[in-house]
Amino acid sequence: MNNSAHILAKDNDGTPLWTFLREALKPKGKIFTPFNVVSIPIILLGLVIIIIRFAKGIGSVTNLTQEVPWGLWIGFDVVTGVAFAGGAYVITFMVYILNMKKYHSIVRVTVLNGFLAYVFYAGALLLDLGRPWNVINPIIGNSFGVSSVLFLVAWHFLLYMIAQLIEFSPAIAEWLGARRARKILSGMTIAAVIFGITLSTLHQSGLGALYLMAKEKIHPLWYSEFIPILFFVSSIFAGLSMVIFEGSISQKVFYHQINEKHHRAHNGILQGLAKICAIAMFAYFFLQLLVFVHGKRWIFIDSPMGYWYLTELLGFVLLPMMLFFYSYRKQNVFIIKLAAFITMLGIILNRLNVTVIGFRWDAANHYYPSWMEIVVTLTVIFIEIWIFRWIINRLPVLRDAPLWAQQIDSETKK
Amino acid sequence: MRINRMNFLKILGLTGLTITSGKTLNASPDPESQTEFFGILYDSTRCVGCQECEIVCAKAHDLPQNASDDMPVAGVKRNTNENRRSVINAYETKNGEVYAKNQCMHCNQPACASACLTQAMYKTEQGPVIWREDKCMGCRYCMVSCPFDVPKFEYLSPNPKIVKCDMCFDQIESGQLPICVANCPAEALSFGSRRELIAEAHRRIYANPDLYYDQVYGEHEAGGTSFLYLSSVPFAEIGLRTELQKSSYPELTKGFLYSVPSIFVLWPALLLGIFKSTKSNSNIEEEYE
Ligand code: SF4
Ligand code: SF4
């Protein structure tokens, strides 16, 4: 403790710790931006709802039923949110394992995004737990339910958050000016990356495996023993689409932090990502076809759920896939962004179809999320964006690392 | 950037935990190697729909009593919920009105227990599947997984419980009958070892083939259950789920869980290999395209 404070004070160019912290906590930029005006009231309302939820029980704010025990908070916040956070493992795989230098400039922001997504969306799980004080049971080991998929997923969330924190930590060290810490932390990156990719493979598919036992409860067009594989493959382009989407916004909002070279490189990065998305979606679509044939699903097609299924697969997988291929050929950035956006809608559709819409589709009174569930979901998203912005404005995430760090890097390269 | 071998191995070691999870999959006792499970046989041909089992069950477990007009009526499905663990329903069939009890089936390999990440849902060696308050974190994954939709949740409580029949586990442990069995005036419920009950059920069918539908519900459903049914009509007509698979539900996740340890060994090795090879044949820093 003492030691690290000492390093901090010394490395941080002599600024006393408390001045540093005060500076860091000060808001930067205008207060009354459109985003703030919309998000602040919603966040406040959401916090009130969360208080009610803990005082009066989950049923007082949600529409969950005895037949549909998992609703929007699990189906959207956790299952969909984690799919979108998949960009982090794909990009780290490309940059650190495949050594594709081109994407290096977006690693940090993607990992940060992934990390925050896990903290908040997986954290939203706590809101959904009826008895959250017992959440330590499966962690400290006084009750390991090792045959449970949820046990595996929960542990992987936890470990993956740590791995991502390690991957991101050099940025924190640079911000604090902690040179020695940065050196140690950078040395751990590859191990964390390898570990993180392994964990991601397992829990992205694990989220699908959660629903394997609900065999008769999920509409047969969405249930199959292959849900885990489908979830894993789709997490690749779900994550990358999120990277494209988030990158396009960050390019505008945080324009001044990004240096010229990276601005120019951005379109090239988007095109590369579009190509990977297109290929992954092709594999996914093909898998879906196999599952379709294997499960003899055509008997279900001529029904409202069947049309819904076709809408998802043709409108939100096949169409954006072709757009990605097309945009790559034509080098058209607008179409890439459009395709990414449609893909993201498709992922939301798919995850909700498995977890909410197709779950107990035949129940007499169907589950619809209450407005309060939606507000809480928005609250979680908005708080995440606030924190994201706070970090981007302070840490070297989009902007270049401090000079001393760059020097060290170029020395080790030689 | 240099790979730190020690760190890597250390982190890999951490996951030993998850690796072992693949090996100790059988949370539920193997039906073959254990002492015999207890069970309950419900013979709907004997049941008179008096609701005595409901009443004594509620009393024994501190649950509210039904309203006096809350009786089984054909065509109206009464469900178990957070206030009652067991219900009797009436069904109009070709044999007239038939009653059927509804509660936890106490599966041989329960989906709920294999789903539970804290082992709060637990298959006891005696057969009853019980819920343990001090372990449960209220995730409701048991409810998602149970093919019979049995576990119910107290949605309106800040300290919610999972509510379901536990076959009066405490009674059984002290050598007594489950409350419902002990109080049934029509002897529609019998308690005993599962094997004996199945034999008894088949004996009844054999002795009275005109009275019974020739199957014992629960003998094979969902891999076999400790709660067994006899009926005069096909089971679908008395509200039992006949579309369920005959193998156990935890079976459905085994393939996935068994693949976990191998991925944990193969993936890092593979990734490390690729990392080494791409690193050695790449130039220092290329310019962007
Ligand atoms: S019927 Fe449901 S709650 Fe009862 S033991 Fe089987 S899986 Fe568990
Ligand atoms: S709600 Fe409780 S009993 Fe059910 S799976 Fe979760 S922790 Fe286990």
PDB file of all heavy atoms in Angstrom, chain A residues 158-186:
ATOM      1  N   LEU A 158     -16.767 -13.624 -13.840  1.00  0.00           N
ATOM      2  CA  LEU A 158     -15.878 -13.058 -12.829  1.00  0.00           C
ATOM      3  C   LEU A 158     -14.424 -13.081 -13.293  1.00  0.00           C
ATOM      4  O   LEU A 158     -13.716 -12.071 -13.262  1.00  0.00           O
ATOM      5  CB  LEU A 158     -16.025 -13.888 -11.557  1.00  0.00           C
ATOM      6  CG  LEU A 158     -15.741 -13.161 -10.283  1.00  0.00           C
ATOM      7  CD1 LEU A 158     -16.880 -12.189 -10.021  1.00  0.00           C
ATOM      8  CD2 LEU A 158     -15.634 -14.152  -9.134  1.00  0.00           C
ATOM      9  N   LEU A 159     -13.981 -14.255 -13.754  1.00  0.00           N
ATOM     10  CA  LEU A 159     -12.592 -14.389 -14.173  1.00  0.00           C
ATOM     11  C   LEU A 159     -12.305 -13.524 -15.398  1.00  0.00           C
ATOM     12  O   LEU A 159     -11.243 -12.921 -15.529  1.00  0.00           O
ATOM     13  CB  LEU A 159     -12.267 -15.856 -14.485  1.00  0.00           C
ATOM     14  CG  LEU A 159     -12.292 -16.795 -13.285  1.00  0.00           C
ATOM     15  CD1 LEU A 159     -12.090 -18.226 -13.731  1.00  0.00           C
ATOM     16  CD2 LEU A 159     -11.214 -16.407 -12.283  1.00  0.00           C
ATOM     17  N   TYR A 160     -13.295 -13.458 -16.293  1.00  0.00           N
ATOM     18  CA  TYR A 160     -13.063 -12.690 -17.509  1.00  0.00           C
ATOM     19  C   TYR A 160     -12.961 -11.203 -17.208  1.00  0.00           C
ATOM     20  O   TYR A 160     -12.184 -10.483 -17.835  1.00  0.00           O
ATOM     21  CB  TYR A 160     -14.170 -12.964 -18.529  1.00  0.00           C
ATOM     22  CG  TYR A 160     -13.905 -12.338 -19.871  1.00  0.00           C
ATOM     23  CD1 TYR A 160     -12.668 -12.486 -20.490  1.00  0.00           C
ATOM     24  CD2 TYR A 160     -14.874 -11.590 -20.519  1.00  0.00           C
ATOM     25  CE1 TYR A 160     -12.416 -11.899 -21.722  1.00  0.00           C
ATOM     26  CE2 TYR A 160     -14.628 -11.006 -21.754  1.00  0.00           C
ATOM     27  CZ  TYR A 160     -13.399 -11.164 -22.349  1.00  0.00           C
ATOM     28  OH  TYR A 160     -13.142 -10.581 -23.552  1.00  0.00           O
ATOM     29  N   MET A 161     -13.736 -10.752 -16.230  1.00  0.00           N
ATOM     30  CA  MET A 161     -13.621  -9.347 -15.841  1.00  0.00           C
ATOM     31  C   MET A 161     -12.205  -9.057 -15.357  1.00  0.00           C
ATOM     32  O   MET A 161     -11.627  -8.032 -15.677  1.00  0.00           O
ATOM     33  CB  MET A 161     -14.615  -9.025 -14.732  1.00  0.00           C
ATOM     34  CG  MET A 161     -16.008  -8.751 -15.242  1.00  0.00           C
ATOM     35  SD  MET A 161     -17.009  -8.150 -13.881  1.00  0.00           S
ATOM     36  CE  MET A 161     -18.443  -9.129 -14.070  1.00  0.00           C
ATOM     37  N   ILE A 162     -11.652  -9.991 -14.595  1.00  0.00           N
ATOM     38  CA  ILE A 162     -10.287  -9.797 -14.107  1.00  0.00           C
ATOM     39  C   ILE A 162      -9.313  -9.766 -15.287  1.00  0.00           C
ATOM     40  O   ILE A 162      -8.446  -8.899 -15.380  1.00  0.00           O
ATOM     41  CB  ILE A 162      -9.903 -10.910 -13.109  1.00  0.00           C
ATOM     42  CG1 ILE A 162     -10.829 -10.840 -11.902  1.00  0.00           C
ATOM     43  CG2 ILE A 162      -8.448 -10.788 -12.695  1.00  0.00           C
ATOM     44  CD1 ILE A 162     -10.690 -11.994 -10.941  1.00  0.00           C
ATOM     45  N   ALA A 163      -9.502 -10.715 -16.208  1.00  0.00           N
ATOM     46  CA  ALA A 163      -8.609 -10.761 -17.370  1.00  0.00           C
ATOM     47  C   ALA A 163      -8.682  -9.449 -18.153  1.00  0.00           C
ATOM     48  O   ALA A 163      -7.656  -8.898 -18.569  1.00  0.00           O
ATOM     49  CB  ALA A 163      -8.977 -11.938 -18.273  1.00  0.00           C
ATOM     50  N   GLN A 164      -9.895  -8.945 -18.332  1.00  0.00           N
ATOM     51  CA  GLN A 164     -10.033  -7.700 -19.084  1.00  0.00           C
ATOM     52  C   GLN A 164      -9.415  -6.526 -18.339  1.00  0.00           C
ATOM     53  O   GLN A 164      -8.840  -5.627 -18.943  1.00  0.00           O
ATOM     54  CB  GLN A 164     -11.511  -7.424 -19.355  1.00  0.00           C
ATOM     55  CG  GLN A 164     -12.050  -8.237 -20.501  1.00  0.00           C
ATOM     56  CD  GLN A 164     -13.479  -7.873 -20.809  1.00  0.00           C
ATOM     57  OE1 GLN A 164     -14.287  -7.714 -19.907  1.00  0.00           O
ATOM     58  NE2 GLN A 164     -13.800  -7.735 -22.062  1.00  0.00           N
ATOM     59  N   LEU A 165      -9.566  -6.563 -17.025  1.00  0.00           N
ATOM     60  CA  LEU A 165      -8.978  -5.483 -16.242  1.00  0.00           C
ATOM     61  C   LEU A 165      -7.458  -5.490 -16.417  1.00  0.00           C
ATOM     62  O   LEU A 165      -6.823  -4.447 -16.560  1.00  0.00           O
ATOM     63  CB  LEU A 165      -9.358  -5.649 -14.768  1.00  0.00           C
ATOM     64  CG  LEU A 165      -9.072  -4.456 -13.886  1.00  0.00           C
ATOM     65  CD1 LEU A 165      -9.811  -3.229 -14.403  1.00  0.00           C
ATOM     66  CD2 LEU A 165      -9.483  -4.739 -12.457  1.00  0.00           C
ATOM     67  N   ILE A 166      -6.890  -6.687 -16.442  1.00  0.00           N
ATOM     68  CA  ILE A 166      -5.440  -6.776 -16.649  1.00  0.00           C
ATOM     69  C   ILE A 166      -5.065  -6.259 -18.039  1.00  0.00           C
ATOM     70  O   ILE A 166      -4.113  -5.502 -18.211  1.00  0.00           O
ATOM     71  CB  ILE A 166      -4.952  -8.227 -16.473  1.00  0.00           C
ATOM     72  CG1 ILE A 166      -5.153  -8.665 -15.023  1.00  0.00           C
ATOM     73  CG2 ILE A 166      -3.485  -8.365 -16.871  1.00  0.00           C
ATOM     74  CD1 ILE A 166      -4.843 -10.111 -14.771  1.00  0.00           C
ATOM     75  N   GLU A 167      -5.879  -6.649 -19.034  1.00  0.00           N
ATOM     76  CA  GLU A 167      -5.585  -6.180 -20.390  1.00  0.00           C
ATOM     77  C   GLU A 167      -5.640  -4.658 -20.467  1.00  0.00           C
ATOM     78  O   GLU A 167      -4.894  -4.029 -21.210  1.00  0.00           O
ATOM     79  CB  GLU A 167      -6.604  -6.779 -21.387  1.00  0.00           C
ATOM     80  CG  GLU A 167      -6.427  -8.260 -21.629  1.00  0.00           C
ATOM     81  CD  GLU A 167      -7.621  -8.870 -22.362  1.00  0.00           C
ATOM     82  OE1 GLU A 167      -8.343  -8.127 -23.047  1.00  0.00           O
ATOM     83  OE2 GLU A 167      -7.829 -10.088 -22.240  1.00  0.00           O
ATOM     84  N   PHE A 168      -6.557  -4.091 -19.695  1.00  0.00           N
ATOM     85  CA  PHE A 168      -6.741  -2.645 -19.780  1.00  0.00           C
ATOM     86  C   PHE A 168      -5.797  -1.888 -18.847  1.00  0.00           C
ATOM     87  O   PHE A 168      -5.541  -0.700 -19.037  1.00  0.00           O
ATOM     88  CB  PHE A 168      -8.189  -2.289 -19.434  1.00  0.00           C
ATOM     89  CG  PHE A 168      -8.508  -0.834 -19.612  1.00  0.00           C
ATOM     90  CD1 PHE A 168      -8.572  -0.278 -20.884  1.00  0.00           C
ATOM     91  CD2 PHE A 168      -8.719  -0.016 -18.514  1.00  0.00           C
ATOM     92  CE1 PHE A 168      -8.845   1.070 -21.054  1.00  0.00           C
ATOM     93  CE2 PHE A 168      -8.991   1.332 -18.686  1.00  0.00           C
ATOM     94  CZ  PHE A 168      -9.058   1.874 -19.962  1.00  0.00           C
ATOM     95  N   SER A 169      -5.247  -2.578 -17.862  1.00  0.00           N
ATOM     96  CA  SER A 169      -4.543  -1.897 -16.780  1.00  0.00           C
ATOM     97  C   SER A 169      -3.358  -1.027 -17.212  1.00  0.00           C
ATOM     98  O   SER A 169      -3.087  -0.021 -16.553  1.00  0.00           O
ATOM     99  CB  SER A 169      -4.092  -2.914 -15.731  1.00  0.00           C
ATOM    100  OG  SER A 169      -3.254  -3.859 -16.341  1.00  0.00           O
ATOM    101  N   PRO A 170      -2.639  -1.360 -18.308  1.00  0.00           N
ATOM    102  CA  PRO A 170      -1.554  -0.440 -18.665  1.00  0.00           C
ATOM    103  C   PRO A 170      -2.051   0.984 -18.891  1.00  0.00           C
ATOM    104  O   PRO A 170      -1.353   1.948 -18.556  1.00  0.00           O
ATOM    105  CB  PRO A 170      -1.006  -1.052 -19.968  1.00  0.00           C
ATOM    106  CG  PRO A 170      -1.305  -2.492 -19.859  1.00  0.00           C
ATOM    107  CD  PRO A 170      -2.602  -2.579 -19.130  1.00  0.00           C
ATOM    108  N   ALA A 171      -3.273   1.120 -19.400  1.00  0.00           N
ATOM    109  CA  ALA A 171      -3.820   2.464 -19.608  1.00  0.00           C
ATOM    110  C   ALA A 171      -3.996   3.188 -18.274  1.00  0.00           C
ATOM    111  O   ALA A 171      -3.736   4.388 -18.160  1.00  0.00           O
ATOM    112  CB  ALA A 171      -5.154   2.382 -20.345  1.00  0.00           C
ATOM    113  N   ILE A 172      -4.419   2.442 -17.269  1.00  0.00           N
ATOM    114  CA  ILE A 172      -4.584   3.054 -15.949  1.00  0.00           C
ATOM    115  C   ILE A 172      -3.226   3.475 -15.411  1.00  0.00           C
ATOM    116  O   ILE A 172      -3.061   4.565 -14.864  1.00  0.00           O
ATOM    117  CB  ILE A 172      -5.264   2.061 -14.986  1.00  0.00           C
ATOM    118  CG1 ILE A 172      -6.602   1.607 -15.562  1.00  0.00           C
ATOM    119  CG2 ILE A 172      -5.452   2.686 -13.608  1.00  0.00           C
ATOM    120  CD1 ILE A 172      -7.330   0.573 -14.733  1.00  0.00           C
ATOM    121  N   ALA A 173      -2.248   2.589 -15.596  1.00  0.00           N
ATOM    122  CA  ALA A 173      -0.905   2.902 -15.106  1.00  0.00           C
ATOM    123  C   ALA A 173      -0.347   4.139 -15.803  1.00  0.00           C
ATOM    124  O   ALA A 173       0.290   4.991 -15.171  1.00  0.00           O
ATOM    125  CB  ALA A 173       0.014   1.702 -15.318  1.00  0.00           C
ATOM    126  N   GLU A 174      -0.621   4.253 -17.101  1.00  0.00           N
ATOM    127  CA  GLU A 174      -0.134   5.428 -17.826  1.00  0.00           C
ATOM    128  C   GLU A 174      -0.787   6.691 -17.300  1.00  0.00           C
ATOM    129  O   GLU A 174      -0.161   7.739 -17.158  1.00  0.00           O
ATOM    130  CB  GLU A 174      -0.439   5.268 -19.326  1.00  0.00           C
ATOM    131  CG  GLU A 174       0.492   4.294 -20.013  1.00  0.00           C
ATOM    132  CD  GLU A 174      -0.011   3.899 -21.393  1.00  0.00           C
ATOM    133  OE1 GLU A 174      -0.889   4.595 -21.926  1.00  0.00           O
ATOM    134  OE2 GLU A 174       0.473   2.877 -21.911  1.00  0.00           O
ATOM    135  N   TRP A 175      -2.056   6.571 -17.004  1.00  0.00           N
ATOM    136  CA  TRP A 175      -2.806   7.721 -16.489  1.00  0.00           C
ATOM    137  C   TRP A 175      -2.239   8.160 -15.152  1.00  0.00           C
ATOM    138  O   TRP A 175      -2.053   9.339 -14.875  1.00  0.00           O
ATOM    139  CB  TRP A 175      -4.269   7.315 -16.359  1.00  0.00           C
ATOM    140  CG  TRP A 175      -5.172   8.331 -15.765  1.00  0.00           C
ATOM    141  CD1 TRP A 175      -5.368   9.591 -16.214  1.00  0.00           C
ATOM    142  CD2 TRP A 175      -6.013   8.174 -14.626  1.00  0.00           C
ATOM    143  NE1 TRP A 175      -6.296  10.226 -15.429  1.00  0.00           N
ATOM    144  CE2 TRP A 175      -6.703   9.378 -14.449  1.00  0.00           C
ATOM    145  CE3 TRP A 175      -6.261   7.107 -13.736  1.00  0.00           C
ATOM    146  CZ2 TRP A 175      -7.628   9.571 -13.420  1.00  0.00           C
ATOM    147  CZ3 TRP A 175      -7.177   7.292 -12.719  1.00  0.00           C
ATOM    148  CH2 TRP A 175      -7.849   8.515 -12.574  1.00  0.00           C
ATOM    149  N   LEU A 176      -1.910   7.172 -14.323  1.00  0.00           N
ATOM    150  CA  LEU A 176      -1.378   7.488 -13.004  1.00  0.00           C
ATOM    151  C   LEU A 176       0.101   7.825 -13.065  1.00  0.00           C
ATOM    152  O   LEU A 176       0.683   8.239 -12.073  1.00  0.00           O
ATOM    153  CB  LEU A 176      -1.587   6.304 -12.054  1.00  0.00           C
ATOM    154  CG  LEU A 176      -3.039   5.947 -11.762  1.00  0.00           C
ATOM    155  CD1 LEU A 176      -3.106   4.678 -10.929  1.00  0.00           C
ATOM    156  CD2 LEU A 176      -3.730   7.091 -11.039  1.00  0.00           C
ATOM    157  N   GLY A 177       0.697   7.574 -14.215  1.00  0.00           N
ATOM    158  CA  GLY A 177       2.121   7.802 -14.332  1.00  0.00           C
ATOM    159  C   GLY A 177       2.945   6.769 -13.587  1.00  0.00           C
ATOM    160  O   GLY A 177       4.071   7.025 -13.175  1.00  0.00           O
ATOM    161  N   ALA A 178       2.370   5.596 -13.405  1.00  0.00           N
ATOM    162  CA  ALA A 178       3.085   4.557 -12.665  1.00  0.00           C
ATOM    163  C   ALA A 178       3.889   3.708 -13.632  1.00  0.00           C
ATOM    164  O   ALA A 178       3.379   2.774 -14.235  1.00  0.00           O
ATOM    165  CB  ALA A 178       2.083   3.701 -11.896  1.00  0.00           C
ATOM    166  N   ARG A 179       5.165   4.063 -13.783  1.00  0.00           N
ATOM    167  CA  ARG A 179       5.962   3.395 -14.805  1.00  0.00           C
ATOM    168  C   ARG A 179       6.238   1.939 -14.497  1.00  0.00           C
ATOM    169  O   ARG A 179       6.101   1.070 -15.341  1.00  0.00           O
ATOM    170  CB  ARG A 179       7.301   4.128 -14.973  1.00  0.00           C
ATOM    171  CG  ARG A 179       7.083   5.436 -15.654  1.00  0.00           C
ATOM    172  CD  ARG A 179       8.240   6.358 -15.510  1.00  0.00           C
ATOM    173  NE  ARG A 179       7.706   7.705 -15.623  1.00  0.00           N
ATOM    174  CZ  ARG A 179       8.271   8.647 -16.347  1.00  0.00           C
ATOM    175  NH1 ARG A 179       9.387   8.426 -16.979  1.00  0.00           N
ATOM    176  NH2 ARG A 179       7.725   9.828 -16.414  1.00  0.00           N
ATOM    177  N   ARG A 180       6.652   1.705 -13.250  1.00  0.00           N
ATOM    178  CA  ARG A 180       7.013   0.332 -12.926  1.00  0.00           C
ATOM    179  C   ARG A 180       5.790  -0.586 -13.007  1.00  0.00           C
ATOM    180  O   ARG A 180       5.844  -1.678 -13.550  1.00  0.00           O
ATOM    181  CB  ARG A 180       7.631   0.265 -11.536  1.00  0.00           C
ATOM    182  CG  ARG A 180       9.142   0.284 -11.592  1.00  0.00           C
ATOM    183  CD  ARG A 180       9.722   0.497 -10.231  1.00  0.00           C
ATOM    184  NE  ARG A 180       9.608   1.899  -9.828  1.00  0.00           N
ATOM    185  CZ  ARG A 180       9.947   2.343  -8.626  1.00  0.00           C
ATOM    186  NH1 ARG A 180      10.362   1.496  -7.699  1.00  0.00           N
ATOM    187  NH2 ARG A 180       9.861   3.621  -8.332  1.00  0.00           N
ATOM    188  N   ALA A 181       4.675  -0.087 -12.473  1.00  0.00           N
ATOM    189  CA  ALA A 181       3.445  -0.888 -12.518  1.00  0.00           C
ATOM    190  C   ALA A 181       3.077  -1.198 -13.958  1.00  0.00           C
ATOM    191  O   ALA A 181       2.693  -2.316 -14.308  1.00  0.00           O
ATOM    192  CB  ALA A 181       2.306  -0.144 -11.839  1.00  0.00           C
ATOM    193  N   ARG A 182       3.246  -0.205 -14.820  1.00  0.00           N
ATOM    194  CA  ARG A 182       2.871  -0.408 -16.208  1.00  0.00           C
ATOM    195  C   ARG A 182       3.690  -1.523 -16.847  1.00  0.00           C
ATOM    196  O   ARG A 182       3.176  -2.339 -17.606  1.00  0.00           O
ATOM    197  CB  ARG A 182       3.068   0.880 -17.011  1.00  0.00           C
ATOM    198  CG  ARG A 182       2.724   0.704 -18.475  1.00  0.00           C
ATOM    199  CD  ARG A 182       2.963   1.961 -19.243  1.00  0.00           C
ATOM    200  NE  ARG A 182       2.558   1.802 -20.630  1.00  0.00           N
ATOM    201  CZ  ARG A 182       3.315   1.258 -21.565  1.00  0.00           C
ATOM    202  NH1 ARG A 182       4.517   0.807 -21.259  1.00  0.00           N
ATOM    203  NH2 ARG A 182       2.883   1.148 -22.798  1.00  0.00           N
ATOM    204  N   LYS A 183       4.947  -1.546 -16.487  1.00  0.00           N
ATOM    205  CA  LYS A 183       5.813  -2.549 -17.071  1.00  0.00           C
ATOM    206  C   LYS A 183       5.346  -3.957 -16.673  1.00  0.00           C
ATOM    207  O   LYS A 183       5.229  -4.851 -17.507  1.00  0.00           O
ATOM    208  CB  LYS A 183       7.249  -2.318 -16.583  1.00  0.00           C
ATOM    209  CG  LYS A 183       8.243  -3.145 -17.320  1.00  0.00           C
ATOM    210  CD  LYS A 183       9.648  -2.581 -17.191  1.00  0.00           C
ATOM    211  CE  LYS A 183      10.636  -3.599 -17.710  1.00  0.00           C
ATOM    212  NZ  LYS A 183      11.482  -4.164 -16.667  1.00  0.00           N
ATOM    213  N   ILE A 184       5.071  -4.096 -15.386  1.00  0.00           N
ATOM    214  CA  ILE A 184       4.614  -5.407 -14.918  1.00  0.00           C
ATOM    215  C   ILE A 184       3.297  -5.778 -15.584  1.00  0.00           C
ATOM    216  O   ILE A 184       3.107  -6.886 -16.088  1.00  0.00           O
ATOM    217  CB  ILE A 184       4.434  -5.385 -13.391  1.00  0.00           C
ATOM    218  CG1 ILE A 184       5.773  -5.049 -12.728  1.00  0.00           C
ATOM    219  CG2 ILE A 184       3.896  -6.708 -12.886  1.00  0.00           C
ATOM    220  CD1 ILE A 184       5.658  -4.720 -11.263  1.00  0.00           C
ATOM    221  N   LEU A 185       2.379  -4.819 -15.607  1.00  0.00           N
ATOM    222  CA  LEU A 185       1.046  -5.106 -16.135  1.00  0.00           C
ATOM    223  C   LEU A 185       1.086  -5.425 -17.624  1.00  0.00           C
ATOM    224  O   LEU A 185       0.399  -6.329 -18.097  1.00  0.00           O
ATOM    225  CB  LEU A 185       0.112  -3.923 -15.861  1.00  0.00           C
ATOM    226  CG  LEU A 185      -0.191  -3.712 -14.381  1.00  0.00           C
ATOM    227  CD1 LEU A 185      -0.887  -2.382 -14.156  1.00  0.00           C
ATOM    228  CD2 LEU A 185      -1.041  -4.857 -13.837  1.00  0.00           C
ATOM    229  N   SER A 186       1.917  -4.695 -18.374  1.00  0.00           N
ATOM    230  CA  SER A 186       2.008  -4.984 -19.806  1.00  0.00           C
ATOM    231  C   SER A 186       2.518  -6.391 -20.032  1.00  0.00           C
ATOM    232  O   SER A 186       2.120  -7.063 -20.982  1.00  0.00           O
ATOM    233  CB  SER A 186       2.955  -4.005 -20.498  1.00  0.00           C
ATOM    234  OG  SER A 186       2.584  -2.699 -20.217  1.00  0.00           O
TER     235      SER A 186
END
